Amino acid sequence: MKLHIGNYLWMNLDTREPRATYPKLMQDLTCDCLIIGGGIGGALCAHLLHQQGLSVVLSEQNTIGTGSTLVNTGLIQYANDKSLTSFIHSLGEQKAVHFYRVCWSSLEHLKEINQSLHLHALETRPSLYLASSEEDVPMLHNEYATLQKYGFPAEWLDADQIGSKFPFQRPAAIYTKGDAEIQPVDFTRGLVSHAASKGVQVFEYSPIQIDTFRPDGVICRCGANTIKAKHVIFATGYMAQTLKREPGAELVTSYAIATDSAAHFNDWFERCLIWETARPYLYMRTTSGGNIIIGGLDEPLPPGGLKEGREIQKGKDLLHLLHQMFPEKSSLQIKRSWGAVFGRTHDGLPFIGGHPDFPRCYFLEGYGGNGTVCSMLGAEIITDLIMGISREDAEMFSLTRSTRPVPSS
């Protein structure tokens, strides 16, 4: 399955150092954990599992960070596409609040990793969650009250306050602090490079196939070579749907652009992350290089997969919306535009954990708008499960849980 089309911002940015490269897997190996997938989820798993003293092999079928990570727009938020209020209605208070709290904790863990390893790929930003219309204000205010009730930092902004900070008008918004923006490819490659320096064996251009399940492990193959692993982690993102289709998940097409560098952000209060209540929603952020990333306009994934060239027209639509919101940015043009496969689940939760058809294997499927945070959460849960640490919340994210479509708000 083709994961993306177009011209990608992160691939074209100048980097401080040449990209580290890794060999093809050309030998038989034995390890505690084999991680399949060299995106941000696989990198986080490698980092945490190695910290536990396990022998780890990470194998990527292409190059590190060039799957869905390459088109990750890098908004890192504890809030989900589905509001806490909606989660409480569908999951119950305890599970819903727990999910938002572990997302907050995982976001803080991402910040800690970035700082401790000096990756310089993540910067803390506030978020602005806009009411798209007057009709959305009661729902948004209810969500604000819910966040306040359970201790999540949130401020209410009315139309006048929004107008004093931004050049556009909206009836209301929730303003939160503690979120972040990330350069996902730099973060992933830096994390993998660090893991490799500590003894994790990393391979590129090395697709893996499952051969045999055994009571004590899994036999895998890469060409003529054999890998014997006690545990296998599939961190293949949306590609996991080609291996075992989740009835509770759906794949759509999402679009994004990156503009030329802006001359200033005087009209963009604190360079916050911006998103809205409408579905499909519009979202935007700035980058350290002064670009603006704006994305959304999701639509069903065609039966034949991504449609080449569709990202060009959608990119023009996104740019028009940016110019409407920020008139001083009307001279900015599209630098890069792309389309990508995007996955979401019916109940709004990621899929994390084992599967009865794949003994001693774990899947990390951080589907949804806060996929990077859920990838961190998934890496934490899978590491605990492999280490024999009980996770009472693991069942919430089970691949075999019952899901049903519920409306987002």
Side-chain angles (χ1 to χ4, degrees):
M1 177 171 60
K2 192 169 187 177
L3 293 175
H4 38 65
I5 52 174
N7 199 350
Y8 319 117
L9 177 66
W10 308 129
M11 179 179 285
N12 293 281
L13 287 180
D14 294 332
T15 56
R16 290 176 294 276
E17 298 176 2
R19 183 185 77 82
T21 59
Y22 304 94
K24 290 183 179 180
L25 200 160
M26 301 288 288
Q27 64 197 82
D28 294 341
L29 295 172
T30 299
C31 61
D32 293 321
C33 299
L34 168 63
I35 300 168
I36 303 175
I40 198 165
L44 289 165
C45 285
H47 176 70
L48 296 188
L49 290 165
H50 174 73
Q51 284 187 324
Q52 297 298 320
L54 301 179
S55 59
V56 179
V57 172
L58 186 151
S59 187
E60 163 59 40
Q61 67 176 350
N62 293 305
T63 58
I64 298 299
T66 54
S68 292
T69 298
L70 182 60
V71 289
N72 182 337
T73 49
L75 284 77
I76 311 298
Q77 299 167 298
Y78 75 85
N80 196 274
D81 285 0
K82 183 174 171 179
S83 68
L84 177 56
T85 307
S86 283
F87 270 122
I88 290 173
H89 290 159
S90 60
L91 298 178
E93 179 182 36
Q94 183 177 359
K95 286 184 177 180
V97 174
H98 175 76
F99 178 50
Y100 260 56
R101 285 177 177 162
V102 293
C103 284
W104 177 278
S105 176
S106 294
L107 191 155
E108 292 301 307
H109 197 174
L110 285 166
K111 294 178 187 177
E112 176 191 323
I113 291 171
N114 178 72
Q115 182 175 5
S116 64
L117 300 186
H118 306 289
L119 300 180
H120 308 292
L122 184 150
E123 186 169 353
T124 299
R125 295 284 190 205
S127 283
L128 183 73
Y129 187 28
L130 293 167
S132 302
S133 66
E134 288 285 354
E135 289 75 16
D136 291 342
V137 172
M139 176 279 294
L140 191 67
H141 196 272
N142 192 26
E143 176 66 2
Y144 163 71
T146 302
L147 293 171
Q148 288 268 299
K149 177 180 178 180
Y150 295 103
F152 295 100
E155 300 174 36
W156 181 257
L157 301 184
D158 60 25
D160 289 340
Q161 290 170 308
I162 295 169
S164 70
K165 301 177 187 299
F166 300 93
F168 52 80
Q169 296 294 320
R170 291 294 187 277
I174 297 174
Y175 199 71
T176 57
K177 295 187 177 181
D179 289 331
E181 61 188 32
I182 193 171
Q183 208 285 35
V185 174
D186 275 2
F187 184 89
T188 299
R189 288 177 174 171
L191 194 54
V192 170
S193 178
H194 173 80
S197 73
K198 298 298 183 181
V200 172
Q201 297 183 77
V202 180
F203 300 96
E204 293 182 320
Y205 299 109
S206 301
I208 301 293
Q209 292 183 325
I210 298 291
D211 185 289
T212 309
F213 298 108
R214 294 184 177 179
D216 60 345
V218 184
I219 305 299
C220 300
R221 296 198 179 277
C222 179
N225 300 107
T226 298
I227 307 99
K228 299 178 181 178
K230 293 179 182 177
H231 307 278
V232 174
I233 298 98
F234 287 91
T236 54
Y238 307 134
M239 291 297 292
Q241 294 298 300
T242 64
L243 184 64
K244 41 123 207 67
R245 192 145 188 94
E246 310 293 358
E250 62 176 337
L251 301 180
V252 300
T253 309
S254 190
Y255 301 93
I257 61 170
T259 70
D260 301 319
S261 296
H264 67 82
F265 289 103
N266 299 332
D267 52 349
W268 193 314
F269 184 66
E270 295 186 342
R271 294 177 66 166
C272 61
L273 314 179
I274 299 175
W275 56 313
E276 62 172 345
T277 55
R279 294 295 184 268
Y281 63 82
L282 192 72
Y283 61 87
M284 57 185 76
R285 57 161 286 199
T286 65
T287 74
S288 59
N291 315 96
I292 297 171
I293 295 175
I294 177 169
L297 304 184
D298 298 357
E299 58 186 11
L301 182 67
L306 295 170
K307 186 177 179 181
E308 295 280 354
R310 179 69 172 159
E311 77 282 1
I312 297 174
Q313 181 56 54
K314 287 287 187 173
K316 292 177 181 177
D317 295 339
L318 289 167
L319 184 66
H320 176 69
L321 293 169
L322 173 66
H323 290 167
Q324 284 186 321
M325 292 181 69
F326 289 92
E328 289 189 25
K329 305 288 189 286
S330 59
S331 64
L332 291 180
Q333 297 301 310
I334 297 172
K335 181 175 183 178
R336 314 286 177 192
S337 62
W338 61 93
V341 173
F342 174 74
R344 56 194 181 198
T345 61
H346 293 160
D347 62 5
L349 297 175
F351 286 112
I352 301 166
H355 191 282
D357 295 337
F358 298 84
R360 303 187 73 86
C361 294
Y362 300 88
F363 290 83
L364 174 49
E365 301 170 23
Y367 297 177
N370 57 351
T372 302
V373 171
C374 286
S375 291
M376 182 76 257
L377 172 61
E380 294 164 343
I381 291 175
I382 289 170
T383 299
D384 284 346
L385 294 176
I386 288 174
M387 296 305 298
I389 299 171
S390 176
R391 290 283 306 226
E392 293 184 4
D393 59 354
E395 186 59 32
M396 278 181 63
F397 311 110
S398 168
L399 276 67
T400 57
R401 70 180 184 268
S402 175
T403 63
R404 60 183 179 87
V406 291
S408 295
S409 63

